[in-house]
Amino acid sequence: MDHDVFRPIPLRILTTGQYIPSRRVHSREFDQRWGKPTGWTLRHVGIEYRHFAGADEPASMMAAHAAQDALQRAGLRADQVDVVISVGGVMEQAIPCTAALVHRRLGLAGSAIPAFDINATCLGFLVALDLIASTLMTRRFRRALLVAGEVASAGLNWDDTDTAALFGDGGAAVIVEAAEQDSASCLLASHMETFSEGTEFCQVRAGGTRMRLAADADAFAAASHFEMSGRSTYRLAAQKLPGFMQTLLQRAGVTVDQVPLLVPHQASAKALDHLQRALQLPPSSLVRILQTHGNQMAASIPLALHHAIQAGNLRRGQLFAMVGSGAGLSFAGAVLRY
């Protein structure tokens, strides 16, 4: 694999948006459910509260509301984007793609603006950003709307104390546009690696064509829950992360101390702590929203990016990186000048 320094791609993150579901779920609710002492769940997962979507808040609705938030901040109409891409890790339904459902909710029916999904689990936003960059550079598209709507709570096993309290629901959106060649805003480099020995560490076995409802309804129901081997996932991720980060930074032509802000996937408190230690980062350089949002799968990175921008921690002209891991096991990252 070629690890040479990339040629920067003129690309500008125009605006971001978010949608927070209506129901706030405090960790003490899990303490009560599991008969644990007050504060046990908070100490166990490092999350004070997260939000769960109601029946009237499907993934496409949350993604569309986040998109409308981003469009309003940019002073744009929905028909002023050239493509709509949904990056949710779990689709709202098997067919059609979630992006088409978002497209309709945005009032784009009849517009002929293309819409499609990219599924790379928790890394969907980074993969979509990497793929859309080349189309912006060639002016195939001028402006892209990337959306994520995640209802992680739909697949949780409420008796699993390792995973049930870790996840949250939500929506996020990012508008990306082509920049001029002399613009400071650019994508310096992106990189992805997959280690398929970890395919069974994080999985939902049902929902595709492998498990069939008609064959065994009970087995199908059991396989519809999220399953994770946390210890195996952490061990493999810790082993592969240093090499991955070295390659990403090498491709960008920067060192870690030249990147003042890192926007990571909010996988878990343990994962964030390990990332900070491995890269020897000061606490202020790592964006953390896990404590009040949980792991929102593919919405996690764009929502953390939204928070960094709104808090004033990311300013125009500043270098920053986004990085994460996802089921597979995969890593993805990008280094940009905002």
Side-chain angles (χ1 to χ4, degrees):
M1 182 180 292
D2 184 3
H3 289 169
D4 290 342
V5 175
F6 272 27
R7 179 182 177 183
I9 296 176
L11 176 152
R12 185 170 183 255
I13 294 175
L14 183 59
T15 57
T16 58
Q18 69 171 359
Y19 178 82
I20 305 299
S22 56
R23 182 187 169 202
R24 179 182 289 191
V25 181
H26 288 266
S27 280
R28 60 176 175 268
E29 294 185 36
F30 291 97
D31 294 337
Q32 295 166 0
R33 178 184 181 89
W34 296 327
K36 300 291 186 180
T38 300
W40 183 90
T41 302
L42 174 58
R43 292 191 300 272
H44 188 60
V45 298
I47 299 169
E48 183 179 350
Y49 60 84
R50 77 289 292 146
H51 292 81
F52 287 162
D56 59 344
E57 295 174 302
S60 62
M61 175 268 201
M62 294 194 295
H65 276 266
Q68 289 164 343
D69 183 26
L71 289 164
Q72 183 177 14
R73 293 174 190 273
L76 295 173
R77 302 185 310 272
D79 63 2
Q80 290 178 295
V81 302
D82 302 315
V83 61
V84 178
I85 304 173
S86 172
V87 301
V90 180
M91 295 173 65
E92 181 171 316
Q93 60 189 66
I95 296 173
C97 66
T98 303
L101 304 178
V102 175
H103 186 278
R104 183 174 62 181
R105 286 182 180 273
L106 291 175
L108 295 177
S111 69
I113 292 172
F116 57 89
D117 287 6
I118 290 179
N119 184 356
T121 63
C122 298
L123 301 175
F125 172 67
L126 293 177
V127 173
L129 181 67
D130 182 31
L131 295 177
I132 203 66
S134 60
T135 68
L136 295 177
M137 182 174 65
T138 60
R139 294 302 197 263
R140 168 66 179 84
F141 296 125
R142 180 174 54 93
R143 185 178 294 135
L145 172 61
L146 311 183
V147 299
E150 293 283 35
V151 188
S153 60
L156 296 176
N157 177 355
W158 301 111
D159 294 323
D160 185 348
T161 56
D162 288 330
T163 62
L166 181 58
F167 292 88
D169 304 337
V174 178
I175 300 175
V176 182
E177 63 181 9
E180 299 303 320
Q181 288 293 334
D182 58 353
S183 172
S185 297
C186 63
L187 172 66
L188 274 72
S190 57
H191 182 53
M192 184 177 183
E193 296 178 358
T194 296
F195 302 95
S196 57
E197 59 267 38
T199 53
E200 297 178 354
F201 295 168
C202 297
Q203 62 180 344
V204 178
R205 292 175 290 119
T209 57
R210 176 185 174 189
M211 302 286 295
R212 304 189 182 189
L213 179 63
D216 190 332
D218 291 337
F220 185 90
S224 298
H225 287 144
F226 175 71
E227 302 168 354
M228 180 175 72
S229 173
R231 185 170 299 177
S232 298
T233 301
Y234 180 80
R235 186 182 302 116
L236 181 58
Q239 177 188 351
K240 301 299 185 181
L241 177 65
F244 166 80
M245 289 300 304
Q246 181 179 0
T247 300
L248 173 63
L249 294 171
Q250 178 183 332
R251 287 186 166 194
V254 299
T255 59
V256 68
D257 58 305
Q258 292 176 304
V259 182
L261 191 71
L262 182 63
V263 182
H265 168 44
Q266 309 291 300
S268 68
K270 188 176 183 180
L272 292 172
D273 291 343
H274 175 75
L275 180 64
Q276 184 176 334
R277 288 194 306 269
L279 300 181
Q280 299 181 348
L281 300 173
S284 60
S285 69
L286 196 69
V287 178
R288 288 181 182 250
I289 63 170
L290 181 76
Q291 187 174 10
T292 54
H293 291 79
N295 180 339
Q296 295 170 299
M297 303 194 299
S300 172
I301 292 177
L303 193 60
L305 174 64
H306 174 77
H307 278 247
I309 293 171
Q310 295 306 308
N313 296 324
L314 182 58
R315 296 172 296 278
R316 287 293 174 193
Q318 180 179 338
L319 278 178
F320 76 103
M322 296 181 285
V323 65
S325 61
L329 174 82
S330 294
F331 289 101
V335 180
L336 302 95
R337 188 178 300 279
Y338 179 64

